[in-house]
Amino acid sequence: MNNNFILKKFYYRHIGPSNTDIKKMLKVLKCKSIKNLIHQTIPKEIFLKKKLNIPYSISEYQYLNHIYKISKKNKIYRSYIGLGYKNTITPSVIQRNILENPNWYTPYTPYQSEISQGRLEALMNFQTMISDLTKMKISNASMLDEGTATADAMFMIYKEKFQNKKIKNNSYFFVSNKIFPQTLAILKTRCNGLGINLIQDFHENLCDKKYKNKKIFGLLLPYPSSLGEIYDYHEIIQFAKKKDISIIISTDLLSLTLLKPPGEFGADVVIGSTQSFGIPMGYGGPHAAFFSTHEKYKRFIPGRIIGETIDKNHHKAFRMALQTREQHIKREKATSNICTSQVLPAIMASMYALYHGPKGLSLIAHNIHKYTKKLEYKLISIMGNNSITQVNIFYFDTLYIKINKKNNFSLKDLKKVAEYKKTNFRYIDNHHMTITLDETTNVKDINHIVSIFNKFKKKNQFFKYKKKNTSRIPNSLKRKSNFLKNSIFHKYHSENELIRYMKRLEKKDLSLNHSMIPLGSCTMKLNASTELLSLSQYEWRNIHPFAPIKQTKGYQLIFKKLKKYLKEITGLYGVSLQPNSGAQGEYAGLMVIKAFHNSLHEKKRNIALIPSSSHGTNPASAMMAGMKVILIKNKKNGTIDKNDLLEKVKVNQDFLSVLMLTYPSTYGIFESNIKDITDIIHKYGGQVYMDGANMNAQIGLIKPACLGIDVCHLNLHKTFSIPHGGGGPGMGPICVASHLYPFLPNHPFHKKKGENSQTTLTISSAPYGSPLILTIPYAYIRLLGPDGLKKCTEISILNANYIKEKIKNFYKILYIGKNNKVAHELIIDCRMYKSIGIDVLDIAKRMMDYGYHAPTISFPVVGCMMIEPTESESKEELDRFIDTLINIRKEIDEIKKGKYNTTNNVFKNAPHSLELLTNNDWTYPYNREKAAYPLNWVKKRKFWPSVNRINDSYGDRNLICSCT
């Protein structure tokens, strides 16, 4: 092959095995070619006949020039729109050493605590920061965005009251009419799914007689409001408490350095966004929302909580707490379907707090407030109260301006001047607007804003502005309590010290740039540097999500092309990019189906059929959409029991809404009768939803539309190479058939027109979810092209089958498809070792000594491991991983033969930290070399866990969830 051709083709960089390696692997499998392997693996009747109709691949150099040109189509205006999004300053030390560092953006969710201590500590700092600023007892480790955090808070208090029999169905949730419009839209969607009644009114009207007989279980109050006003809620909260109404406060985190924290005046839950803590707007995300509450809710709180515990030698350690709340375990009984959180942005926000400390954060907030007051003074001084009125009595960073009717200009005139001067304000109606300032605002910006209004100043007029109240924060709401008192927030204000701290944390975490992370259903593949460079580019980072469309032509072009490619890949008709996680994609898909049934006057259709082989979050998403879950059995060979399916379909035919499939299934096999299954559902009036978790085994070979799929979501943070970020961010857009297109999500700030304008469904706070990271899958598709995408799928199937063939004599492969082949992942059965005291968790811990993150454990089958190698792993790495599994099996046999006892062995003591290995008091029945270097190649590649085995059963009640 031409060397220049190889140099230009990105997939030779992305795909791990060389052509020579591929031949060797095929020989092991006794297959003549890749084509031969694929035809043995995938049912012939669903195999694609044509190549994908997307542009051919371009080189990395060509792509960088291409994306740079597109970025210049975005127009960067100075935005003072607010609504929860602000200009920020990302400290360079955080951008370079967290955001752009593969040690931070390539690890997986910290389920395996011993090799995740760096991230866990950083997230503990995040939780401490949130708890301190809000004055709430516990906080979680981030949520997707402010709107969905609010919706989850509503559901949490609803679930707690419902479970404790304090309320029944048809309860009411009272929402202040001063909350963000995007949050209200999300709440309406969520209430529609859950059957909760929504009341929207001014908060003081909660006491009104018309609400006397309505069972109101919750109250949402903004602090400050969406228009910037700071209300004193003490009286209304006292009234609500007497009525047993739980209080949710949505707040601006930075404002809490100046304002009395909600935890001090009766809040039950406090939510908001940490975007103002140094995270770029990125046209809407990703940003880390926060969620803090009281101890009584800790069994209901959505998302993940990091707790402080101990390791085997009683040293302090961190781990994810309350893991029994995870939706894979609780399924339809889960309190939330959130799976991906926002770990990377959350860590950036926590480092921002460390970098500035409490004094620095207070100074930033004081400066913003000072400039806001200065702007008010200047505007009134030049325009006069007869021309404009500043409506807010109290505020932090937002002025609410009314243009008086007798004026000689209109907001329309002012908007023209502002746009000419490349400035965005929020225009509410013909007479009202807001101006929100931020940490980047300076005197020059104030003068610039004034110059816009100055165009409409009457000649020779100047008004002496006498403020009735010089303070714009009421005395009763000024913060008196300290925050961020822990020493961690006082140590790292110099860049030298902060970068060393980040490095110490980084070294404690195993990431993808150290070794393969073989997690089944999670697809930990190469996140190429070229794909990620756009995240740091000015033109992509600094756009407000509600900026006028004409300023965002670069983004719009990316969206248009990405949608076109995803439609071609799936064969479906329409795409929504709004869902900002895989779980959000599941939920969005189900709500689209629900809207479709409702349009046919079939609201009674609320049954979701879910096979055991489907993805773990499916039941939780179905529950959130207000559906009743019925499980479908799988046969012993892993395929769906068609008879059980048909029986349950017929029994529930009048109520059937959807069948939720994962294809290939989480059991790692392609259902050969997939078309028969989807035909059954359609025959009885149902829709078929496909979970996109395993799309890595389909692209270029199969199209979901050809399987009879009506809607599917795509995990862009899996198949399309967005990094997992240590547990987030992610994106989960949905693709739908033509009859579902009219019901795709809408958004109050980007309302769709025409064919799909009838929907009121809103899923995420921003119209396109987390658009900044959508540049990554766009790069992935353009760099690979149709041939490269297909090649990735083929090699992922080859790699999985190669592992299966090499370990089949050492482990039982639980499910195998036709022709003795698996899909892109496989499950090994570890349950038979329990007879000698070894369970799947012991094997996972031992794998750390070899320098590997364990495969997915106990999902989808308890006591088993699900392995997915991905196409990016080389044969050399696969062989090391195979050697690890084989050697671990030999170590199990040593215990079985009695060489070591069942309670004191390399498994029960794993992982072995450096401290443990260098301890003079070595009392174990095996030597140090066996513990640390079980295979010769480990010596040169050793990863040392920073703690010993963590006591996972150390009671959650005793966990400390913030720094003390």
Side-chain angles (χ1 to χ4, degrees), residues 371-619:
Y371 282 124
T372 311
K373 289 194 293 182
K374 190 179 186 72
L375 178 61
E376 179 189 16
Y377 173 79
K378 285 202 166 193
L379 288 179
I380 301 298
S381 294
I382 65 161
M383 302 301 295
N385 280 316
N386 291 329
S387 294
I388 65 171
T389 303
Q390 201 291 110
V391 180
N392 287 337
I393 300 170
F394 299 110
Y395 57 73
F396 164 56
D397 61 4
T398 299
L399 301 180
Y400 182 26
I401 306 292
K402 178 183 178 183
I403 308 296
N404 297 326
K405 290 182 179 179
K406 294 181 180 179
N407 220 325
N408 64 334
F409 72 97
S410 67
L411 264 188
K412 190 175 180 181
D413 299 326
L414 188 138
K415 185 178 180 181
K416 285 181 182 178
V417 175
E419 288 183 348
Y420 177 75
K421 293 202 167 196
K422 296 187 175 181
T423 306
N424 294 323
F425 301 122
R426 181 190 174 196
Y427 305 99
I428 298 161
D429 55 33
N430 292 332
H431 300 284
H432 297 85
M433 64 180 290
T434 62
I435 305 173
T436 299
L437 304 188
D438 54 64
E439 73 164 316
T440 68
T441 305
N442 55 36
V443 173
K444 186 178 178 182
D445 296 314
I446 297 296
N447 292 335
H448 177 79
I449 295 170
V450 170
S451 73
I452 294 169
F453 282 82
N454 209 30
K455 290 282 184 183
F456 305 98
K457 170 189 169 185
K458 292 179 181 177
K459 289 183 179 179
N460 302 319
Q461 73 174 1
F462 187 84
F463 300 89
K464 185 80 173 175
Y465 180 38
K466 295 180 181 179
K467 289 175 278 187
K468 294 179 182 177
N469 188 337
T470 55
S471 175
R472 291 313 197 191
I473 295 177
N475 288 329
S476 62
L477 293 176
K478 287 183 178 177
R479 182 162 196 140
K480 296 182 175 66
S481 56
N482 292 325
F483 57 92
L484 305 188
K485 293 184 290 183
N486 189 278
S487 61
I488 197 77
F489 296 101
H490 298 263
K491 291 180 178 180
Y492 305 116
H493 303 330
S494 77
E495 180 166 334
N496 236 5
E497 287 303 310
L498 182 62
I499 198 169
R500 287 169 182 163
Y501 176 66
M502 291 190 291
K503 189 66 179 178
R504 288 198 296 276
L505 296 188
E506 174 190 315
K507 289 167 68 176
K508 295 178 181 181
D509 284 17
L510 190 143
S511 58
L512 199 59
N513 61 347
H514 178 272
S515 59
M516 176 170 73
I517 300 180
L519 288 150
S521 200
C522 289
T523 318
M524 299 292 291
K525 62 172 66 179
L526 169 70
N527 313 120
S529 301
T530 296
E531 296 165 355
L532 304 178
L533 289 177
S534 298
L535 302 187
S536 298
Q537 192 177 337
Y538 180 79
E539 287 81 2
W540 298 113
R541 288 161 53 94
N542 293 290
I543 297 182
H544 194 284
F546 309 142
I549 289 286
K550 62 185 178 182
Q551 296 171 21
T552 65
K553 289 183 178 178
Y555 266 115
Q556 298 307 320
L557 183 58
I558 292 292
F559 300 156
K560 182 180 178 181
K561 290 188 174 187
L562 186 57
K563 285 181 179 181
K564 182 180 178 182
Y565 303 155
L566 297 181
K567 285 193 288 185
E568 172 62 17
I569 286 166
T570 60
L572 292 164
Y573 181 80
V575 178
S576 171
L577 298 172
Q578 193 175 124
N580 55 359
S581 79
Q584 287 289 85
E586 291 175 7
Y587 175 68
L590 294 175
M591 291 301 289
V592 164
I593 289 171
K594 188 167 187 170
F596 168 71
H597 287 312
N598 289 350
S599 74
L600 300 176
H601 307 291
E602 294 188 321
K603 289 187 178 181
K604 63 184 179 180
R605 290 191 176 272
N606 71 334
I607 298 289
L609 302 178
I610 305 179
S612 302
S613 55
S614 291
H615 199 265
T617 55
N618 289 176

Side-chain angles (χ1 to χ4, degrees), residues 709-728:
I709 304 301
D710 298 293
V711 54
C712 74
H713 90 268
L714 301 171
N715 291 90
L716 300 186
H717 50 287
K718 293 182 180 181
T719 305
F720 293 87
S721 218
I722 293 177
H724 282 248

